[in-house]
Structures are given as C-alpha cells and as structure tokens.
C-alpha cells in the first residue's frame, strides 16, 4: 500500500475506504456531469447518448436568447429569494433574540413550538396556507369578509408574490431560528460586560460590540438561507404557479413537463446551469465566512448562561407577538388540516362538531397506494439516511485522520451538495439514470441513490465528532492487535454512535420531508407520501389530502421521539 | 531484542513547525527496562511510535527479535496490529464504551485464532489480578480514577503476553502522590512479568529510578546512552548533566594552566580552581556543571584556598527535609541545597564552597 494514509488500513480497510470514496464521488458528481453534458447534446428531445444525438448549442441558444429568462425567470427568482431571505431573517432573528437573550415568559415552550414546522414536509404547510389564505374560500378570508362586510374575493390573496414570500419565509423560519439561537446562545456575555464596565451605554454596547461580534456568525447563516431558498420548489409550485410566478425551480419542472409534446432535456439542463453556478458560488462564500467566523472566538464552550435583558413593559406585548406568530404558523395550519380531514372543506362552526367523519382516513388507509407510498417513504428515507451516515462517517474519518493525497478534492465533493439545488440534483439524476443501461429509473432505488447526494451534513458531523475522540483510542486498538476494520467496527463506530444516530435522525426527517426529488423522479412504482399528498390536493380531494398530511405528522413525530430516546443514554461520552 | 538503527523521520506538525528524528540508534536487551528521556519535542515519542508501528520512519530499520518490522529503504512496514507489542498510551486510551473487563479482553477478542469465552474470562481475571483490579472487572470505564485507568491500560497491554512493552509517559497524567505510588507498582510489575520495556518520559527522576539504561534525547537525536549511574556521574555533554541532575551551569573562560586550571566566570562571577585538564586550551570558553548537592553554603566566609563564590540569596524553596536556595552570583543563579535547619534567609549574603572534584567541564558550543 503506497498511499500514505497515516495509518495501516490493511486490504479490507483500503477496500472499504476506497468504496466509500468512489460511492461519494459518484453520488455527487456523476449526475452533475451528465447534466452539463446534456445541456450540449441534441437535437431537440434526444437523450444525451441516444443513437443520433450529437454536440449542439441549440439548447443554450433557445434558452438564453429567450427574453422570458430575463423578463420573468431571473427577476422572479431574485425577488423571491431576496424577499424570503430578508423576511425569514428578520422574523428568525427577532424570535431567537427574544428566546435566547431576554426574559420572555414561556421561552422553552415557545422554542419547541417555533421548531415544530421543521418536522413537517413543506408541502403540508403549503396546502395548509392555501386552505387558510386562498382568495376565494380560504378560512381567514371568509372570516375577514364576514367580519368586515366585504364581498367577492380576498381581502388577502396568497397567490401573489408577497403571499409566496410570506409562505416561504414562515416555512424557513424554524431552520434559521435554530442557527440564530445557537449563535446567540454561545456568545460570551463577558464581551458585552466588558463594554458596560468600560462605560458604554446598553445601546452603544449593542451597536459597537454585540453587532460586530455577531456579524460573522450571522452572515454565514444568511448565505446558507439564500442557498436553501434558491432550491425551494414546493411553495413556488403550489403558491407561485397559480400566481404566474416563475422561479427557476418551477421553470425546470415546466421544461420537464411541458404542456405539449415531449420534454426537451437539453433545455432543462441549460436552464439549470447558471443556477448551479450561482449555488456553488454562494457555497464558496459560505465556506469562507464559516472559516472567518471560526477565527472569531465568540464561543467559549463553557456553559455560560448569558445575562438576559429584562424586557420590562415590553415583556407581555413581546410574548403576545411570539405566541401570535406560533399560533398562526404552527397551530392554525395543524387545526385546519385536522378539521378538513374530519369535516371536509368548509368553514368550521360549532354546529358541525358532531358531524365528524373518519371517512377520509378510512378511504386513505384502505387505499393500497397509500400503504405503498408509506412503505416507500420509510424505505427511501431510512435507506438513504443509513447510506449517507455510513459514507459520511468513513469520509469524515479520512478527512479528519489521514493525510491522503486528494483529500482537498474529497472535502469539496462531500461539501458540494449544500450548493446543489435539489431541483438540479433531481434533474441530473433523472438524466443519468435515463441514460445508464440499468433498469433503475422509476424505482425506489433511484430515489435512495439521489436522496443520498446530501453527504455534507453527516461528513461534517462525523468530522467534528472524531475531533473530540482522542486518536490514541484508535491506536490502542491497533496495539491490541485489531485490524483497521476491527477498529472501525469495535471502536470508531461505537464511540461515534451518538453523532451517527443524530445524523440518521436528521437525514431521516429530511428524507420524509423530501418532495422535490421524489416529484421529479416520480413514477407509479416509487410514489412517496409527499407526492401522494400533492396528488390528492391537485385532484381537489381536500379531505383525503388533509388526512394524509395529518398522518404524515403522526408518522414523523413518534419516530423522532423514539430515535431521540435511543440517543440520549449514549450521549454522555459523546 | 529491539534494535533501532539510523532511524530518521521529518514531518510538519499542526502549527507548521518542522519536527524531526535524525539517525536514532539504540539496542535493547532481553528483559531490559530502557528509557528514552528528553524534554518535550525531542523526538522520544516519535521514536516510540515508530517502534509501535503507528508512524513510518523516512529512513532506518527497526527489528524485534531479529525480525525486521520496519525498513524504509526496503519498503518493509509491519502494521501496528501485527507487531504483538503492548502499549500504554499517555492518555491511557481506555475505551469509554466498554467496561473494564471488555477493555482488557479486547486484544483477545480481536486476535486470531479466536479464543473461547472461558479462556478469555480466565486470562482477563488473571491479568486484572496482576494489576489488583480484579474487583473492578464489571465497572464502567468512565468512572475510573487516573491510577485505575493506568492499571487497566497496563492489563490491556500485557494480556497478549507481548515480548515488548511500550510506555508513553504513563505517569505524567497523575498527581504527585499517585505518581510515586504508581512508579513503584510499575517497576514491581515489570520485574514480575519480566518483560522488555521501552519507556518514554521527560521526568529525569522517573527515568533514573526505573530504567536499567537510559537514552537521553535532544532535538531528535540521542545524546548519550548509559546506565543511570553512568549518566549521572559521567555525563558527556553539559545538556545531559544539567538535564539529569537539575545541575547548575556556569560559563567562563579558561585562563591559566600551570598546575591548576582556572575558570574565570562571566560577569565577574569569581574564579574556580580545578584539577588540571588534559587537553585544555587557554582562552577557550567552558561550561562548568555543578550539582546542587555538591555545593556547600555557609553564612560566614570559609577558610582560604577553597573554591568560594560569594552571592546573595534570592529565594528559598522549602522542600521538607532540605531547602533549595537560589543564590545570585554575579549574572547567574546557582541552586544549592541547605539543611532546612540552617534558616538561610532571602537577601542574605552567603559563601558557596564548590568541590572541584565534583565539577564537570565541557567546552562551550
């Protein structure tokens, strides 16, 4: 073995590490390569390597000479992303600041409630919003009209750009809130206290110390939020399309599902290219910011309880605002979905209470399609999470523990997935598996492989976890006569278990929530719950859609609690 | 038994500093307790890790029982897990997910041919008894004290009955009281098991007390190898002398060579008359090494024709049976030992009498 891995892997170890690296590089880069190639292959609706296909610039010409791109797609995408990021940030920062740095009442309960929508597929939220704020029959609009004596539609209309931005922001707030609160919580109070003791007023301290210190910690999440907003598909599809808003993700979907004729894959790929570049550029900026933020020593690691700002007379108004937010974004959607699943789509009233019917649930549960979709969802989310956790652990180990040549490339590949919008990942996987001469397209296996491009999360988690595990614990195994594979199985994996289980939980949730990839790569054989939900909604089966949405929530919540239980006892030496 | 020849290795550490071993050579006999002694960063741990197989040397060979386990030129490198060496790590590296029994049983569980459960149980209990830990077999390893962790680490290193035991600063993580006790236990144990031991430490008292032979290392190279007595009494460089004896180092210029050599100490520190040196050159600078116990300290001027230096007491460190005084003589500080009863005080003027026979001279570098 000539590779200076800094450790003796043995033949089995080299095989495992090599297989992990090849798989990881394949999962991330093979579909992208196919995507890039497809953009330059024609003519017309030919697949890139179909007999008769040749190199061409026709797709690029069609897409980039078309004023629609510059008059609709790009401005809409920009407005959507910037608007959503700004709204999300303002809301998330305010909530995080209230919960982490002030004496807001019921902070812990609010913390949990704010995070709740994180567990639910975005498509569920989208449907709930439409049921609530639809211009014609939306609950809130009906209520407002009868309250204010209006007639006709409105007054609120979710199917507008502001409506889309509002829906998207609310869907993104939990995630950004989590990032913000981590930053605010770990900021050492000594920095602010030092300013106070230097004679600065609270406002001066906030302006001259708090904000500059937090800036690097806030800028990185800002870029990350922009990246995530860019790849959003559910809200643009359900809320944006009826409003004739065309962001790039729905544009790609449209290219793949044209009103007439066959999809022209080269055009979809051509639309995707610039956005892929933007995604990867944003990722580079994000990486730089994270590295800079790491140099700022704001994290003390000690269990500091930051001094909390007394809100004084603003305490209860702030509390009311926070509860109002949680009520409208977390509780109201849940109520509307459960109500519709039991009573059908209509305004709720006390007279109807006794008319509850489980008919929708009965229909759904007795439908073999639903059973199949549930099993597919669990299989795809579970298998891809397991695959990504194992790959991430091995690659994290290679990055943390070895001086292998080409490490830098592996690092980039493993992290690149953050910068690849899921619409593009889905499109790229579609092109790859339509071309490859294996009968994978349309099966659950395609979904498992495609979901697994999200290597960044587990690689990073494993790397951080390994840094906290003393190298001598691994070396002691070698000195005891254990081969590297034995060490991996008996020492590294058990010690990394809390990290691996958290990684699995996280990816399982992401897998259950996933809609974009499943939608693009969907077929009758690999239907998952989120896509089934969308179908019910599109068919106008409000009760069934709501029943499926409620069942998804019922499915996700216990799984998470069980898994959390499994993690807890082992976390003590993590 | 263990033979290390022309061992060289260079690598960049995390903070960018170049660390290197150059031409390290030593041989350990069967059953010998051999210590590598030196300040931190001198390459002693790197040497140990090369022997263990955890690092690959750039150059040189290592053989155990006449079997070459590492030869950089020939490309021979037996991986650590095939070397059958027991090792105790500086951090002890007790696995937190396994209890005491499983930590110690691990080497038997991963080795081939597989042993049956009864055999493993017997051997683990045996070796736990050896380190007086048999009652703690079922204890979780996360609740062990430092001393207990060390015993478990020793038991784990010994259970395969290896022919060579490597100890990497095994006492450095313990507090002073425990260190003394574990030092005794360690030397008892090694004697009872009669195992060849390579011991790495930066603590000269540990090395002197435990080792049959010591190799003093500095800047990646071995400076001197010898028994503790040889190194202590006949150091070959001022580094060895000062590192082993916590000795005083005075610098000066050789002036007269009639029947005695005289060293004129720097900064008008006084003169030292010494027996005539064989091949001394007048005008050359020398380092004079004097151990604290070879300096007598008095509060009144002693008789004539003695080597006397006058100084002021800067500091008195009470050590129990004796006190260590730091005496300022011209530009340098000389450490001397005085009886605790002598009640020498700070700022007091004292006369230091130096026994010329006990001085060691080295030409300054």
């Amino acid at each position: 073995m000539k590779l200076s891995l800094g450790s003796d892997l043995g033949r089995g170890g080299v095989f495992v590490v090599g297989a992990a690296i090849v798989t990881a590089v394949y999962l991330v880069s093979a579909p992208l390569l196919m995507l890039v190639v497809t953009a330059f292959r024609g003519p017309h609706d030919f697949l890139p390597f179909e007999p008769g296909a040749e190199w061409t610039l026709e797709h690029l010409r069609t897409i980039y000479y078309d004023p629609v791109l510059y008059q609709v797609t790009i401005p809409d995408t920009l407005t959507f992303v910037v608007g959503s990021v700004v709204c999300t940030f303002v809301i998330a920062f305010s909530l995080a600041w209230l919960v982490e740095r002030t004496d807001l009442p019921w902070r812990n309960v609010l913390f949990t409630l704010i995070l709740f929508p994180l567990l639910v597929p975005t498509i569920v939220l989208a449907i709930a919003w439409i049921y609530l704020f639809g211009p014609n029959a939306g609950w809130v609009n009906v209520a407002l009209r009868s309250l204010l004596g209006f007639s006709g539609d409105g007054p609120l209309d979710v199917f507008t750009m502001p409506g889309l931005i509002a829906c998207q922001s609310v869907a993104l707030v939990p995630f950004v809130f989590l990032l913000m609160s981590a930053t605010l919580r770990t900021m050492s109070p000594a920095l602010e206290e030092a300013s106070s003791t230097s004679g600065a007023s609270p406002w001066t301290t906030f302006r001259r110390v708090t904000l500059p210190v937090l800036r690097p910690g806030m800028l990185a999440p800002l870029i990350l939020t922009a990246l995530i907003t860019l790849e959003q598909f559910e809200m643009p599809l359900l809320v944006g399309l009826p409003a004739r808003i065309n962001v790039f993700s729905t544009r790609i979907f449209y290219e793949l599902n044209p009103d007439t004729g066959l999809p022209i894959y080269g055009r979809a790929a051509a639309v995707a290219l610039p956005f892929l570049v933007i995604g990867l550029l944003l990722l580079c900026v994000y990486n730089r910011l994270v590295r800079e933020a790491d140099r700022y020593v704001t994290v003390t690691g000690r269990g500091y309880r930051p001094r909390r700002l007394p809100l004084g007379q603003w305490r209860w108004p702030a509390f009311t605002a926070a509860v109002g937010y949680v009520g409208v974004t977390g509780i109201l959607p849940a109520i509307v979905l459960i109500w519709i699943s039991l009573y059908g789509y209509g305004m709720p009233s006390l007279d109807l209470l006794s008319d509850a019917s489980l008919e929708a649930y009965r229909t759904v549960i007795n439908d073999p399609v639903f059973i199949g979709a549930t099993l597919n969802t669990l299989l795809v989310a579970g298998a891809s999470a397991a695959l990504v956790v194992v790959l991430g652990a091995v690659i994290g180990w290679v990055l943390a523990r070895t001086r292998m040549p080409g490490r830098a490339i592996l690092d980039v590949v493993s992290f690149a997935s953050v910068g690849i919008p899921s619409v593009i990942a889905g499109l790229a996987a579609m092109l790859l598996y339509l071309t490859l001469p294996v009968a994978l397209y349309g099966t659950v296996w395609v979904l498992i492989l495609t979901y697994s491009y999200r290597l960044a999360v587990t690689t990073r988690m494993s790397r951080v976890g390994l840094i906290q595990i003393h190298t001598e614990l691994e070396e002691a195994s070698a000195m005891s006569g254990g081969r590297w594979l034995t060490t991996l199985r008996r020492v590294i994996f058990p010690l990394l278990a809390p990290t691996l289980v958290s990684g699995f939980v996280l990816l399982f949730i992401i897998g259950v929530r996933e809609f974009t990839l499943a939608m693009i790569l969907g077929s009758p054989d690999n239907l998952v719950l989120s896509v089934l939900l969308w179908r019910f909604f599109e068919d106008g089966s409000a009760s069934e859609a709501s029943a499926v949405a409620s069942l998804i929530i019922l499915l996700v919540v216990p799984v998470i609690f069980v898994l959390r239980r499994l993690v807890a006892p082992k976390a003590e030496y993590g | 038994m263990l033979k290390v020849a022309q061992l060289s290795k260079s690598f960049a550490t995390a903070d960018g500093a170049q660390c290197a071993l150059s031409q390290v050579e030593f041989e350990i006999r069967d059953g010998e307790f051999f210590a590598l002694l030196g300040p931190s960063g001198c390459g002693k741990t790197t040497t140990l890790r090369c022997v263990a197989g955890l690092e690959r040397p750039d150059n040189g060979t290592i053989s155990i029982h006449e079997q070459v386990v590492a030869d950089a030129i020939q490309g021979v490198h037996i991986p650590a897990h095939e070397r059958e060496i027991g090792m105790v790590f500086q951090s002890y590296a007790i696995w937190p997910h396994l209890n005491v029994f499983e930590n110690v049983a691990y080497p038997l569980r991963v080795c081939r041919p597989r042993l049956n459960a009864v055999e493993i149980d017997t051997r683990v209990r045996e070796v736990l008894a050896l380190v007086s830990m048999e009652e703690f077999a079922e204890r979780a390893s996360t609740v062990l004290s430092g001393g207990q962790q060390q015993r478990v680490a020793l038991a784990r290193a010994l259970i395969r009955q290896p022919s060579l035991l490597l100890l990497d600063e095994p006492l450095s993580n313990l507090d002073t009281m425990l260190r003394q006790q574990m030092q005794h236990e360690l030397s008892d144990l090694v004697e009872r098991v009669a195992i060849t031991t390579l011991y790495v430490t930066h603590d000269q008292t540990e090395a002197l007390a435990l080792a049959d032979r010591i190799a003093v290392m500095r800047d990646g190279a071995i400076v001197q190898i010898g028994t503790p007595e040889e190194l202590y009494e006949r150091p070959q460089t001022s580094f060895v002398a000062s590192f082993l004896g916590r000795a005083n180092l005075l610098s000066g210029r050789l002036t007269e060579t009639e029947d005695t050599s005289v060293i004129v100490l720097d900064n008008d520190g006084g003169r030292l008359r010494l027996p005539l040196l064989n091949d001394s050159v007048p005008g050359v600078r020398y380092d004079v090494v004097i151990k604290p116990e070879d300096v007598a300290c008095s509060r009144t001027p002693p008789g004539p024709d003695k080597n006397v230096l006058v100084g002021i007491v800067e500091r008195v460190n009470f050590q129990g049976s004796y006190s260590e005084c730091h005496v300022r003589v011209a530009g340098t500080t000389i450490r001397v030992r005085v009886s605790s009863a002598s009640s020498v005080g700070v700022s007091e003027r004292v006369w230091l009498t130096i026994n010329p026979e006990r001085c060691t001279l080295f030409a300054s570098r």
Side-chain angles (χ1 to χ4, degrees), chain B residues 19-46:
Chain B
C19 201
L21 285 184
S22 62
Q23 302 286 320
V24 170
E25 289 207 35
F26 60 90
E27 206 168 322
I28 306 182
R29 293 185 280 269
D30 236 336
E32 195 173 25
F33 195 120
F34 191 90
L36 288 172
L37 172 68
S40 61
C42 72
K44 54 192 191 303
T45 295
T46 308

Side-chain angles (χ1 to χ4, degrees), chain A residues 1-2 6 8 403 470 472-484 486-487 490-491 494-495 572-573, chain B residues 49 52-54 56 77 79-81 85 87 89-91 93-97 106-107 109-110 112 156 160 168:
Chain A
M1 199 184 61
K2 285 284 172 204
D8 299 291
R403 294 183 287 273
H470 204 307
E472 287 186 351
L473 291 169
E474 292 169 34
E475 291 172 349
S477 171
M479 294 314 294
S480 302
R483 292 172 305 137
W484 184 77
T486 313
T487 307
R490 286 183 173 251
V491 176
L495 287 176
E572 60 196 47
Y573 54 75
Chain B
R49 290 171 58 85
L54 297 168
R56 279 165 189 248
H77 176 81
H81 67 269
I85 293 175
M87 181 164 173
F89 289 84
Q90 187 170 7
S91 67
I94 302 299
W95 297 301
H97 62 297
Y106 183 92
R109 294 211 191 277
V110 301
R112 277 161 219 273
R156 184 177 65 190
R160 279 199 300 168
D168 186 7

Side-chain angles (χ1 to χ4, degrees), chain A residues 160-224:
Chain A
T160 56
M161 182 58 98
L164 173 63
I165 289 176
C167 292
Q168 189 60 64
S169 304
V170 166
L172 287 170
V173 157
F175 174 71
V176 180
F177 169 81
L178 207 56
L179 293 176
M180 298 282 103
S181 56
T183 308
L184 286 169
R185 196 179 318 156
T186 50
M187 185 187 161
S188 164
L191 297 171
E192 289 173 335
E193 283 160 12
S195 171
S196 309
T197 53
S198 307
S201 67
W203 170 238
T204 311
T205 300
F206 185 75
R207 201 163 45 86
R208 301 190 64 140
V209 175
T210 315
L211 277 186
V213 162
L214 284 177
R215 205 199 43 171
M218 294 288 160
L219 225 48
L222 189 79
I223 301 294
L224 190 58

